[in-house]
Amino acid sequence: GSLARTMQRFFRAGSTQVVRGIRRGVSGTPPSNSSNRQAAAQSPAEEATVIINTKSTSSKEQTVVPDFIINHVAPTHSGSQWLQTKRANEKEVFGEASLEGGYKSFREDIRSVVPDARVFTDPLRTLAYGTDASFYRLVPKIVVKVHDEAEMIKLIKAARKNKTPVTFRAGGTSLSGQAITDSILLKLGHTWRYRKIENDGEVITVEPGWILGQVNRMLAPYGRKLGPDPSSIESCWIGGVVSNNSSGMCCGVLQNTYNTIKDLRIVLNDGTILDTADPKSWEAFQVSHRRLVEGVTELSKKVRADAELTALIKKKFSIKNTTGYSINALVDFDSPLEIIKHLMVGSEGTFGFVSRATYHTVPDYKNKASAFIVFPTVEDASNATWELRKAGCTDAVELMDRRSLYTCEDMEHLHFLRGAPESGTALLIECRGATEEEMWARVEQSKKTIADAGLLTLQPIEFSTDPKVCTAYWDARRALIPMVGAVRKAG
């Protein structure tokens, strides 16, 4: 109330504006010690007047630049009209009119490459494409929907010519913000749909526009699937699976993209294509990019000459680790072709664009059993995880703390999670087998491993082969991130 009245008087006062306030809150010059004591003795309600003179004392008229706090003259017309006037005066521009320098040149250069209908510079669509599954936001200056490799090569060359950075986007399902940029966003269209299945499903070649779940359905008749199984399996695209070295809930490290990739077709930043499946392509590449090949070979030798560094890299990548580049390629392979191929995996488009990927597939066992095992504490659950890992009797182990369990304890088939203590922690376990007998043998070994370690559980360990129950278990895990995010406190 008093602050509002003060501000009203402030804006109505004209060229000589008067502000009234509590003496202890407003002062023209810093008081001396004695003045401080006098001010403290005065009534708290006593007011001080500060004169702010905004009228020029010069005989010449001076242009006063409006300041929102001191010299702002409140608009007499509507807010929207004032905003339109402000924009007109400041000549705010949007879309292509806002492009400058290299971005303006890039836009002109690609007019003959991509139809205008697939190039976006307007505020609405660039804002939309400035958002992915992460909580980051960068608004691109230009968004281009790319339909094939030939277009991509021309766009990359144009970007290099104009020195404008580009970011590639497939499904945009990562939580880490790899698919957004404030520069140029090259968005893959749904036209990247080449596929080829070989050797009874043991090998598959696909373009980056396929969704991972779609590829697995192609392989289902062969009893095979791709190794990576992220929780976004029904929305993530192959382009992102390769570029992020996706793994998932069940594949661990052994079946991630790095360890199951067979060949890649790569577009480098100068537009050169390297097809690692084509000997002639590799032969030509060694000539045209000799310095790159020699540099990678020399770097590998240098790293492997350092025993301590080599051991550290092997240790770091023996568990899930997608931080930085896949430098384990420098110690895992001797061939520069294999090193380059595996360095591309997980490089998030910074080394080049992957226009085609060939995977070694993995068996999709139909014999599966899952269990939700609740332990009294997170320490017990962690110890059980370590023992199961050493025993090698499980195909997937996921740890969920009590906060995670709260989000799913009301879901069908998961009511037994209710009533767990605040320290309660669960392991979601899956055992598979080529035969039913092999699967049950692994189940029994898992139970025995936990019992032999002397670890207590809050309920008896029960594995289920019921598809509805198992699906409910793993659906709870897949939905964990958005469900936990929905119940967290704001801020």
Side-chain angles (χ1 to χ4, degrees):
S2 60
L3 177 60
R5 289 191 295 275
T6 298
M7 295 304 293
Q8 289 169 3
R9 290 197 299 271
F10 181 80
F11 285 121
R12 283 199 299 262
S15 60
T16 302
Q17 298 162 358
V18 180
V19 181
R20 296 189 182 278
I22 306 303
R23 180 176 295 278
R24 282 178 290 178
V26 181
S27 179
T29 58
S32 63
N33 289 338
S34 60
S35 298
N36 278 336
R37 287 191 295 270
Q38 291 172 2
Q42 290 174 345
S43 169
E46 185 178 349
E47 294 184 339
T49 300
V50 177
I51 306 299
I52 304 176
N53 191 354
T54 59
K55 179 179 282 188
S56 172
T57 57
S58 170
S59 59
K60 293 183 179 181
E61 282 194 21
Q62 295 182 358
T63 302
V64 179
V65 178
D67 181 277
F68 186 79
I69 301 300
I70 303 299
N71 296 318
H72 174 68
V73 178
T76 57
H77 39 67
S78 69
S80 61
Q81 189 178 359
W82 170 77
L83 182 59
Q84 291 172 15
T85 304
K86 178 178 181 292
R87 285 177 172 170
N89 291 340
E90 295 183 3
K91 297 181 180 179
E92 289 194 37
V93 291
F94 303 97
E96 291 191 16
S98 67
L99 299 178
E100 299 176 344
Y103 294 102
K104 186 175 182 179
S105 300
F106 174 86
R107 179 66 188 98
E108 293 303 318
D109 290 345
I110 68 171
R111 288 192 186 279
S112 60
V113 178
V114 180
D116 290 347
R118 289 196 272 118
V119 180
F120 310 133
T121 57
D122 61 280
L124 179 58
R125 283 178 290 190
T126 52
L127 178 67
Y129 281 110
T131 306
D132 62 0
S134 72
F135 51 72
Y136 304 106
R137 170 169 285 167
L138 290 173
V139 179
K141 293 177 177 62
I142 304 173
V143 178
V144 185
K145 277 197 171 181
V146 190
H147 277 188
D148 55 43
E149 183 183 81
E151 284 185 355
M152 183 64 77
I153 292 172
K154 293 175 182 177
L155 290 167
I156 289 174
K157 286 182 176 180
R160 181 177 182 177
K161 170 191 169 187
N162 293 290
K163 298 182 179 180
T164 47
V166 299
T167 295
F168 308 111
R169 176 168 178 155
T173 60
S174 173
L175 303 176
S176 303
Q178 300 98 315
I180 58 174
T181 179
D182 57 0
S183 184
I184 296 172
L185 185 67
L186 301 182
K187 172 72 176 77
L188 302 189
H190 291 278
T191 53
W192 297 79
R193 291 303 182 98
Y194 174 86
R195 61 175 180 174
K196 183 180 180 181
I197 299 175
E198 304 173 87
N199 302 339
D200 286 333
E202 292 186 0
V203 175
I204 186 169
T205 301
V206 288
E207 284 190 330
W210 287 104
I211 293 174
L212 179 51
Q214 293 174 328
V215 177
N216 283 345
R217 283 188 281 278
M218 297 178 205
L219 295 168
Y222 303 93
R224 312 286 293 184
K225 65 174 185 173
L226 291 188
D229 62 335
S231 58
S232 57
I233 193 168
E234 292 301 336
S235 53
C236 65
W237 293 20
I238 293 297
V241 173
V242 175
S243 295
N244 297 321
N245 188 22
S246 297
S247 55
M249 298 179 291
C250 301
C251 83
V253 175
L254 295 179
Q255 294 182 354
N256 65 8
T257 299
Y258 178 92
N259 284 309
T260 57
I261 204 69
K262 182 177 184 293
D263 283 297
L264 294 175
R265 185 174 172 89
I266 307 162
V267 181
L268 298 181
N269 73 331
D270 60 358
T272 300
I273 293 177
L274 171 60
D275 189 340
T276 66
D278 183 356
K280 290 183 178 180
S281 176
W282 173 238
E283 184 178 343
F285 188 81
Q286 292 179 85
V287 176
S288 63
H289 292 70
R290 179 175 58 86
R291 186 177 176 184
L292 172 59
V293 174
E294 291 177 350
V296 166
T297 303
E298 184 62 30
L299 182 59
S300 175
K301 290 179 180 178
K302 187 176 181 180
V303 170
R304 283 193 281 182
D306 188 329
E308 184 179 356
L309 178 58
T310 299
L312 178 62
I313 290 173
K314 288 185 175 181
K315 179 182 178 182
K316 289 289 186 181
F317 286 91
S318 66
I319 59 175
K320 286 187 179 182
N321 178 19
T322 56
T323 302
Y325 293 114
S326 299
I327 58 174
N328 47 330
L330 299 172
V331 299
D332 289 344
F333 302 100
D334 298 318
S335 163
L337 175 62
E338 292 298 325
I339 294 174
I340 292 171
K341 181 198 308 181
H342 286 82
L343 280 172
M344 285 297 303
V345 175
S347 64
E348 299 179 5
T350 57
F351 286 161
F353 172 74
V354 175
S355 62
R356 193 171 291 180
T358 302
Y359 274 91
H360 293 289
T361 63
V362 301
D364 184 15
Y365 293 128
K366 301 304 178 186
N367 300 294
K368 303 174 185 177
S370 298
F372 237 120
I373 306 173
V374 185
F375 294 86
T377 66
V378 68
E379 289 81 8
D380 292 330
S382 300
N383 290 333
T385 302
W386 173 243
E387 296 297 333
L388 291 169
R389 184 175 186 270
K390 288 192 298 182
C393 54
T394 57
D395 295 281
V397 178
E398 291 281 332
L399 186 147
M400 298 173 68
D401 63 10
R402 188 64 183 96
R403 180 170 293 184
S404 303
L405 300 181
Y406 276 128
T407 67
C408 58
E409 63 183 14
D410 291 329
M411 296 173 64
E412 189 177 9
H413 303 298
L414 292 170
H415 295 172
F416 63 88
L417 297 174
R418 296 171 179 171
E422 287 300 312
S423 60
T425 306
L427 292 184
L428 176 54
I429 297 175
E430 183 172 271
C431 295
R432 308 173 195 149
T435 64
E436 191 172 350
E437 291 74 18
E438 181 181 330
M439 177 200 70
W440 284 116
R442 291 171 68 80
V443 167
E444 293 304 320
Q445 187 181 358
S446 299
K447 291 181 177 180
K448 185 175 185 300
T449 298
I450 294 174
D452 290 348
L455 297 169
L456 300 177
T457 60
L458 297 181
Q459 294 109 5
I461 301 176
E462 295 182 1
F463 279 79
S464 175
T465 57
D466 185 338
K468 291 183 179 180
V469 174
C470 294
T471 299
Y473 288 174
W474 289 101
D475 280 350
R477 170 59 187 87
R478 291 185 185 95
L480 182 59
I481 291 176
M483 287 196 300
V484 171
V487 299
R488 70 183 292 273
K489 293 181 179 179

